[in-house]
Amino acid sequence: GPKTTATSTTETNNNNKGGRTMDETEEADDTTTSFHELDPKDCLMKLSSDDWTPWVLDVRLQTENDIVQLPFTDRVVPHRTVQISDLPVSGDVLVYCKAGVRGKKACARLIELGINPDRLYNLNGGLMQWQQDIDPSMPRY
């Protein structure tokens, strides 16, 4: 979909939780919580320049991780079974999957389980977008 950014004007509308635009609200699950979304290029820039060291969670299956993964992955837990105990107690968490959808579901699940949404970063477009934008040499499946 189109790129959207929250501005201070959208936050004045009380029906608009978290400063989401209409596009984002329609795409999201039935959660009123908001986690961060990062495109691969923004993610790489944040990792390399901001002294940002998130804990990195792959929410695909182990068999998928065996084929290809981000080299700085800390843990592999399928999105349907992810629990608070799978994460560190504090700090940011970068969540990724193949195309971005399971990552969003995993973030929503973790928020429902009580994780602060502000800690969670989903990799937009997942590994497929990372391959396209950052590292075309990564294996595809």
Side-chain angles (χ1 to χ4, degrees):
K3 293 272 184 283
T4 52
T5 53
T7 61
S8 56
T9 53
T10 57
E11 288 168 7
T12 56
N13 178 350
N14 287 337
N15 297 330
N16 206 346
K17 286 243 192 230
R20 281 193 174 137
T21 63
M22 283 306 288
D23 290 343
E24 290 171 320
T25 306
E26 287 166 15
E27 289 170 20
D29 288 299
D30 298 328
T31 57
T32 55
T33 48
S34 181
F35 48 87
H36 303 279
E37 304 220 299
L38 280 178
D39 291 327
K41 286 178 179 164
D42 296 333
C43 181
L44 187 62
M45 207 181 315
K46 194 168 169 59
L47 285 166
S48 53
S49 65
D50 290 359
D51 196 32
W52 188 54
T53 53
W55 198 82
V56 182
L57 178 68
D58 180 351
V59 294
R60 300 172 302 149
L61 302 172
Q62 183 64 53
T63 49
E64 293 177 275
N65 180 272
D66 291 343
I67 298 166
V68 59
Q69 71 283 325
L70 293 175
F72 42 85
T73 302
D74 291 301
R75 184 112 191 232
V76 181
V77 183
H79 74 283
R80 286 193 175 94
T81 60
V82 69
Q83 299 289 338
I84 289 180
S85 58
D86 293 320
L87 304 184
V89 177
S90 63
D92 290 347
V93 178
L94 175 63
V95 178
Y96 77 92
C97 60
K98 183 177 181 182
V101 177
R102 285 178 281 177
K104 286 182 183 182
K105 289 180 176 175
C107 288
R109 175 177 163 86
L110 287 165
I111 291 165
E112 282 173 21
L113 293 171
I115 293 285
N116 179 345
D118 204 46
R119 291 180 59 197
L120 299 174
Y121 291 77
N122 183 49
L123 184 65
N124 270 344
L127 272 181
M128 293 196 318
Q129 196 66 49
W130 187 278
Q131 287 163 328
Q132 192 176 317
D133 295 352
I134 311 292
D135 186 359
S137 71
M138 289 175 91
R140 294 174 185 274
Y141 69 98

